[in-house]
Amino acid sequence: MTCVTVNGTWLYYEDHGTGRPLVFLHGWGTSGRVWDAQAADLMADHRVITVDWRGCGCSDRPVTGYTIAEITHDILNFLDALALDEPVLIGSSIAGAFTIEAALAAPDKIGAIVPVDAGIHHFSGTQNAMDKLLADLRADRAGTLADLVPQWYRPGVGAPMIDWTIRQLLDSTFLIDQLLVDQATYDPRSHLGRVRVPTTFLHGELDTEVPLGIPRECASLIPDARLTVIEGAGHMSQQDQAERFNQALREALR
């Protein structure tokens, strides 16, 4: 296994290809494997790095550190550990917040950011809904995820992909649920005007988890930011419509 220790926690990562470094960050409870279709395509002319953040995939499962700020700190130290020169950070769902916080905290380290199907402030003020979700997860984690995960995909996605995603979530530590609490108070809109790295939002046209109004608003607050809508894709647009997503990502990288 390829691992690096950051902030006392070892993180599993995969590193393929050469060229401009792209660092792919998965969403809540999944793993770097959600980027397989992107790695297979982009490694031909880029250095593609996928990392399992703490508590997920093959990485360590410490008892603390499950906040947006702390995982962003892990990511910035991960970039230092690999001595990456102005990498592009590409983050799915909640990892879109990690990319924004990294760009705010260390713009000199980041070449560009690409938040993908990112909720950003969408869940701010939803404490009651988050409390219910947390209670449901405690009572029946497998059943709750079986109801939740299909909503992340466009209609017609096959059961194997959904089942594989649920399996990843069940394999991750339940401690990641602390991120749901953090997300219910996270709203960076007042700071977005300070983002100074090139930013492109990629968002699934059919995303029912995060409406398109969220990336539209965020893109309007970040200087020169762009938004590309992935036709026919849901919340997991990199898997839902991999070919269309890869084309849009390549355009964003120009």
Side-chain angles (χ1 to χ4, degrees), residues 50 74 84 88 155 163 167 183 196 216-217 219 243 245:
T50 60
D74 286 350
L84 298 177
V88 180
D163 292 346
R167 181 71 265 162
Q183 200 172 26
R196 289 293 182 266
R216 283 197 181 108
E217 180 181 5
E243 187 173 346
F245 181 92

Side-chain angles (χ1 to χ4, degrees), residues 148-219:
L148 178 65
V149 171
Q151 301 172 43
W152 296 356
Y153 291 93
R154 62 175 168 81
V157 164
M161 183 176 290
I162 292 171
D163 292 346
W164 177 63
T165 303
I166 293 170
R167 181 71 265 162
Q168 290 176 80
L169 285 154
L170 290 173
D171 286 344
S172 295
T173 175
F174 69 93
L175 294 169
I176 62 169
D177 294 357
Q178 296 173 44
L179 277 162
L180 301 178
V181 178
D182 196 29
Q183 200 172 26
T185 59
Y186 178 71
D187 185 349
R189 281 177 289 181
S190 63
H191 308 302
L192 293 182
R194 294 195 288 106
V195 174
R196 289 293 182 266
V197 304
T199 303
T200 302
F201 290 84
L202 300 183
H203 208 89
E205 174 193 24
L206 306 179
D207 189 345
T208 59
E209 186 77 2
V210 179
L212 268 169
I214 299 300
R216 283 197 181 108
E217 180 181 5
C218 291

Side-chain angles (χ1 to χ4, degrees), residues 16 19 40 64 71 101 108 149 177 181 198 200 204 220 225 232:
H16 302 286
T64 60
I71 293 177
E101 291 301 313
D108 55 317
V149 171
D177 294 357
V181 178
T200 302
S220 73

Side-chain angles (χ1 to χ4, degrees), residues 23-27 35 89-99 113-118:
V23 177
F24 288 87
L25 307 170
H26 61 84
W35 300 108
L89 295 187
I90 303 150
S92 173
S93 195
I94 195 172
F98 306 159
T99 70
I113 61 171
V114 183
V116 176
D117 302 309

